[in-house]
């Protein structure tokens, strides 16, 4: 019963779209500006760095809360399951007509809770790639590709890596349109 409860709570927490809320507080419908995506990158391009920072912190906090719920209601391994539920909630939010973001900040936030060294290292990778290439998707994809190897280097094994891999694959799949634009050199810059 606790497992179901943890997944439901994590999904509902993940479904809170800070991109939608921050934009709405400023009188914008984020779905109608820029790329139409409620993620941090579109908020930064259309509403600025301060708004994007609020979205980033809120989305990362969702991952922390979801992972903490999984760990506290079930066990440490279930933190990954709850994190995946939150990332799915972020991508397909029940509160926002199932139109959500890609889940990178939520994933990294949850990882900082579950595996702090890996979460922080991947967040640094994401920031470095963002600053150097000024394209969030390059850093996002790189962080997701490195997630399982980084976890393995810190001694994580077996089912833990399988759940982390499932999260990474889901987030990478959400970046399909970004990958197409990267291949055609038409991906939008953030900074």
């Amino acid at each position: 019963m606790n497992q179901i409860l943890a997944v439901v709570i994590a999904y509902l927490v993940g479904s809170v779209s800070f991109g939608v809320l921050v934009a709405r507080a400023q009188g914008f419908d984020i779905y109608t500006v820029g790329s139409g995506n409620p993620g941090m990158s579109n908020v930064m391009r259309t509403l600025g760095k301060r708004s994007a920072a609020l979205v980033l912190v809120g989305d990362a906090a969702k991952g922390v809360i979801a992972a903490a719920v999984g760990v506290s209601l079930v066990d440490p391994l279930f933190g990954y399951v709850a994190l995946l539920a939150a990332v799915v909630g972020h991508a397909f939010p029940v509160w926002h007509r199932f139109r959500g973001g890609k889940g990178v900040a939520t994933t990294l936030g949850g990882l900082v809770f579950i595996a702090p060294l890996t979460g922080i290292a991947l967040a640094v990778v994401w920031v470095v790639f963002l600053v150097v290439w000024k394209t969030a998707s390059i850093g996002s994809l790189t962080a997701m590709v490195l997630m399982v190897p980084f976890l393995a280097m810190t001694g994580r094994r077996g089912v833990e890596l399988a759940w982390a891999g499932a999260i990474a694959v889901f987030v990478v799949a959400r970046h399909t349109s970004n990958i197409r634009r990267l291949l055609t050199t038409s991906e939008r810059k953030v900074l």
Side-chain angles (χ1 to χ4, degrees):
M1 189 64 176
N2 280 358
Q3 293 174 335
I4 294 170
L5 182 61
V7 167
V8 169
I9 291 170
Y11 171 80
L12 293 175
V13 167
S15 286
V16 176
S17 179
F18 284 92
V20 171
L21 298 176
V22 168
R24 191 175 292 159
Q26 296 177 49
F28 292 93
D29 177 357
I30 196 66
Y31 296 116
T32 64
V33 294
S35 68
N37 186 288
M40 189 269 319
S41 297
N42 190 39
V43 171
M44 184 179 293
R45 279 192 298 270
T46 58
L47 301 176
K49 291 179 184 176
R50 185 171 296 169
S51 296
L54 290 172
V55 173
L56 180 64
V57 169
D59 286 349
K62 295 189 309 188
V64 171
I65 293 166
V69 165
V71 168
S72 63
L73 288 182
V74 185
D75 61 36
L77 178 60
F78 209 79
Y80 289 97
V81 179
L83 178 56
L84 177 58
V87 172
V88 170
H90 178 82
F92 303 105
V94 67
W95 315 121
H96 305 286
R97 295 170 287 151
F98 303 100
R99 294 173 57 200
K102 305 215 167 123
V104 177
T106 303
T107 298
L108 294 178
L111 275 180
V112 167
F113 180 83
I114 298 168
L117 289 177
T118 300
I120 291 167
L122 292 175
V124 168
V125 166
W126 182 82
V127 169
V128 167
F129 275 74
L130 177 64
V131 169
V132 171
W133 279 280
K134 301 184 181 357
T135 306
S137 60
I138 295 173
S140 300
L141 291 165
T142 302
M144 292 304 103
V145 168
L146 293 176
M147 184 163 65
V148 171
F150 277 25
L151 285 166
M153 287 190 297
T154 61
R156 310 295 174 135
R157 298 285 179 261
V159 176
E160 195 169 359
L161 294 181
W163 280 110
I167 295 167
V169 166
F170 180 84
V171 174
V172 168
R174 293 286 296 162
H175 282 80
T176 303
S177 60
N178 301 88
I179 293 168
R180 274 193 227 104
R181 287 191 299 271
L182 285 167
L183 292 172
T184 61
T185 66
S186 61
E187 180 68 313
R188 295 176 291 273
K189 301 285 185 189
V190 173
L191 299 173

